Amino acid sequence: MGKNAGETGIVKITVIAVGKIKEKFYTDAIAEYSKRLSRYCRLEVIQVADEKTPDGASEERQIKEKEGSRILAQIKDGAYVIALAVQGTMLSSEQLASKLNKLGLDGQSQIVLIIGGSLGLSDEVLKRADYHLSFSPMTFPHQLMRVILLEQIYRSYRIISGEPYHK
């Protein structure tokens, strides 16, 4: 019989995000989902500084590289990295739950999810990622994306545990 993540040791989920959350309603939602997730996994949210974005697009690559270096410095060796990227694979909530569950069953105890800044992720971060996940071809504010991501991780663990969730 297979072991679940709970039997092999609790999975650590790390969300690395560029930029600070300024709005209280976002920080409240993040705190709520963090609290809910505490019964399913060890959650860590790491914020790395964003770069000021000038009006000219000529510096975009340099900005992404600076933010990317800060992100990469936070990733531990052996972690399974999922980068949120518009060009990534779109999954249903059930498919994301299945992916997270399989990683846990395969003994992956450290999962890192990365949310880039307003310009996206550097090529180096995308190369380091084991998987590229897209929530939509639409653009979302990165502060809101943190809330959406945490909600989907919470929903995934509810699905994995066979607990009811809102459809």
Side-chain angles (χ1 to χ4, degrees), residues 1-12:
M1 188 157 80
K3 292 181 180 179
N4 67 31
E7 291 169 343
T8 59
I10 196 154
V11 172
K12 181 176 183 191

Side-chain angles (χ1 to χ4, degrees), residues 86-163:
V86 171
Q87 65 276 25
T89 303
M90 283 194 250
L91 301 175
S92 68
S93 295
E94 292 81 4
Q95 289 169 321
L96 179 60
S98 177
K99 179 151 193 70
L100 292 176
N101 191 43
K102 182 171 179 356
L103 288 169
L105 290 172
D106 290 346
Q108 185 59 263
S109 61
Q110 171 75 32
I111 301 169
V112 176
L113 295 108
I114 302 172
I115 302 171
S118 58
L119 298 175
L121 294 168
S122 70
D123 290 340
E124 291 77 15
V125 172
L126 291 171
K127 282 182 198 138
R128 170 58 183 92
D130 298 291
Y131 191 82
H132 296 177
L133 176 65
S134 175
F135 275 74
S136 167
M138 292 185 224
T139 302
F140 296 101
H142 59 272
Q143 298 96 326
L144 178 58
M145 200 61 231
R146 268 187 243 187
V147 176
I148 294 170
L149 177 60
L150 290 176
E151 189 280 333
Q152 283 298 304
I153 295 168
Y154 172 68
R155 183 180 297 264
S156 291
Y157 278 108
R158 299 277 297 182
I159 292 168
I160 291 165
S161 300
E163 297 168 11

Side-chain angles (χ1 to χ4, degrees), residues 31-71:
E32 178 61 28
Y33 282 113
S34 297
K35 185 176 88 180
R36 290 182 187 188
L37 277 164
S38 67
R39 58 184 283 231
Y40 300 103
C41 66
R42 282 184 18 243
L43 176 71
E44 179 182 25
V45 178
I46 298 172
Q47 296 183 142
V48 299
D50 56 348
E51 290 289 312
K52 298 290 174 253
T53 309
D55 291 335
S58 62
E59 297 175 36
E60 279 190 18
R61 188 175 58 77
Q62 292 166 308
I63 289 168
K64 288 198 292 188
E65 285 176 2
K66 284 180 184 174
E67 291 173 350
S69 295
R70 292 180 191 133
I71 291 167

